[in-house]
Amino acid sequence: MPKMKSHRGAAKRFKVTATGKVMRGHSMHSHILTKKTTKRKRNLRKSTEVQGKFAKTIKDAILG
């Protein structure tokens, strides 16, 4: 049986840390930035952990 392929779209959007957490970037940071506060834009730069059961689904898709 051949190897499982990773979901390339998910692999580009999510990263799995060494401890096994799934990290994602924030949305709403690509355009229409003039009406957003500096604090809000700064916080949108940071990545955050995927919560709940969705993390397992993403991990399976990335690791194949």
Side-chain angles (χ1 to χ4, degrees), residues 23-54:
M23 303 301 284
R24 66 168 177 85
H26 285 97
S27 58
M28 312 296 177
H29 192 61
S30 56
H31 59 99
I32 315 176
L33 299 173
T34 51
K35 64 175 76 170
K36 293 169 188 155
T37 64
T38 309
K39 180 182 177 181
R40 183 174 165 194
K41 289 186 280 191
R42 185 169 58 245
N43 287 328
L44 288 172
R45 274 186 234 143
K46 302 170 186 173
S47 58
T48 184
E49 187 181 352
V50 176
Q51 298 294 319
K53 292 186 179 181
F54 196 55

